[in-house]
Amino acid sequence: MTIRICIAGATGWAGSALARGIAQLDDMAIVAAVSRTHAGRMLGDVLAEPRLNCPVYATALEALAHPCDVFFEFTKPEVAKSNVLAALQHGTHVVIGTSGLTDADYAEIAEAAEGHQRGVLAVGNFALTVVLLQKFAEIAARYIPQWEIIDYAHADKVDAPSGTARELAYRLSQVRPSELSVPLDQTQGLVETRGARLTGSQIHSVRLPGYTISAEIIFGLPDQKLTLRHDSGSSAQPYVDGALLAIRKVNTLVGLQRGLDHVLDLT
Ligand SMILES: NC(=O)c1ccc[n+]([C@@H]2O[C@H](COP(=O)([O-])OP(=O)(O)OC[C@H]3O[C@@H](n4cnc5c(N)ncnc54)[C@H](OP(=O)(O)O)[C@@H]3O)[C@@H](O)[C@H]2O)c1
């Protein structure tokens, strides 16, 4: 059976790579797309890919008038939550690739997903090396009580910390909070230089030209430390492979899950 997909953000850097990937498959079809700039056009004309024979709309609500099985969110944090809630109301499963949603946003989405008995899979980073970093970090956090996260990205990334860092901090919070030898309120000097405390982890976000996306976590013990680091290349291909897997598997879920490993067998 063909999986019918609506992609919000299908003309963006990540969404267009995903759309081109789907165009090559027989078991999936994009039935509607969202982009304000290209509304009223056919996605195939915008992306010069004739197999993408579907209309582009300015809003998710218009696009969702087309029946679909999976709504894929790849836009910007300011519209992502309302797009996802609208998709759930229309009875579709949802994959969230957009970064910048808060834990409070996810709590609201989780409730809506349960209410509508649909699956939502939110993945801060679809790359396999990030999925593995998260898993290894969860194991390390069981044995090492102190760590800090550093998130590196290109200068014009608008959200901080990155979705990858947020998701990592959230997952480690399920293990335990990172201990601080000096409590933040006892810091002498500028407490901001200690980074932001998010769900029990200190996070430092670097935004500079020259970076693509990297995520690093350092675990420290007396006289020893462990560094786990992921670095993205310049192509969106690692995200496409993970996103296609998420689309295939999201209908096996009910409620919200965060992280691609929920649909991978990593045991
Ligand atoms: N999870 C992952 O592995 C992963 C990988 C890559 C990127 N991301 C995240 O995915 C998101 C998109 O990244 P990107 O690099 O592809 O961004 P981008 O190139 O700027 O593309 C954004 C897309 O969303 C559309 N859009 C933006 N605002 C919109 C709005 N208000 N209403 C409707 N459509 C809107 C844009 O079209 P118009 O401007 O024409 O509306 C465009 O198609 C970001 O949050 C990024 O951090 C996640």
Side-chain angles (χ1 to χ4, degrees):
M1 226 173 74
T2 304
I3 305 172
R4 299 166 301 171
I5 305 155
C6 173
I7 302 188
T11 60
W13 180 76
S16 63
L18 175 60
R20 289 195 176 93
I22 292 172
Q24 298 174 39
L25 302 174
D26 293 331
D27 65 333
M28 294 185 194
I30 304 176
V31 295
V34 182
S35 149
R36 295 157 303 175
T37 320
H38 300 286
R41 299 181 64 191
M42 297 302 280
L43 185 60
D45 295 337
V46 179
L47 300 186
E49 170 46 87
R51 287 172 290 187
L52 292 172
N53 185 25
C54 73
V56 181
Y57 296 94
T59 66
L61 269 184
E62 292 168 276
L64 283 163
H66 288 262
C68 65
D69 305 302
V70 176
F71 178 85
F72 203 110
E73 170 51 48
F74 241 159
T75 62
K76 294 288 167 195
E78 56 270 23
V79 284
K81 184 179 78 176
S82 61
N83 286 353
V84 169
L85 294 177
L88 287 169
Q89 266 177 356
H90 279 75
T92 73
H93 298 285
V94 177
V95 179
I96 305 176
T98 309
S99 59
L101 291 162
T102 65
D103 290 328
D105 292 332
Y106 281 121
E108 199 175 330
I109 289 168
E111 197 181 337
E114 290 284 347
H116 292 285
Q117 289 290 289
R118 287 291 177 274
V120 177
L121 185 56
V123 182
N125 195 314
F126 288 102
L128 180 63
T129 51
V130 168
V131 178
L132 293 173
L133 181 150
Q134 290 172 337
K135 269 287 172 204
F136 299 154
E138 281 173 339
I139 295 169
R142 297 206 313 251
Y143 298 96
I144 307 176
Q146 287 181 276
W147 63 81
E148 303 212 359
I149 296 170
I150 311 174
D151 135 46
Y152 305 87
H154 48 90
D156 53 355
K157 183 170 175 60
V158 291
D159 57 303
S162 68
T164 310
R166 277 182 190 277
E167 194 170 283
L168 181 57
Y170 171 77
R171 294 175 69 109
L172 295 181
S173 74
Q174 310 296 301
V175 181
R176 59 166 137 178
S178 172
E179 291 174 11
L180 292 163
S181 295
V182 177
L184 293 176
D185 60 5
Q186 290 174 29
T187 303
Q188 295 180 7
L190 293 174
V191 70
E192 292 83 358
T193 58
R194 294 288 296 112
R197 185 103 183 141
L198 182 69
T199 54
S201 290
Q202 290 304 120
I203 305 187
H204 312 262
S205 291
V206 178
R207 296 289 178 267
L208 280 175
Y211 283 98
T212 307
I213 296 280
S214 300
E216 186 173 290
I217 180 162
I218 305 166
F219 290 89
L221 279 175
D223 272 332
Q224 50 183 325
K225 62 184 184 294
L226 168 70
T227 302
L228 300 171
R229 180 176 167 120
H230 152 86
D231 293 294
S232 293
S234 55
S235 110
Q237 194 55 40
Y239 307 131
V240 174
D241 296 340
L244 293 175
L245 177 72
I247 290 170
R248 288 207 167 88
K249 297 283 190 174
V250 68
N251 72 349
T252 63
L253 306 175
V254 174
L256 169 73
Q257 293 290 355
R258 291 175 69 179
L260 194 63
D261 60 307
H262 289 286
V263 294
L264 280 173
D265 185 10
L266 287 180
T267 50

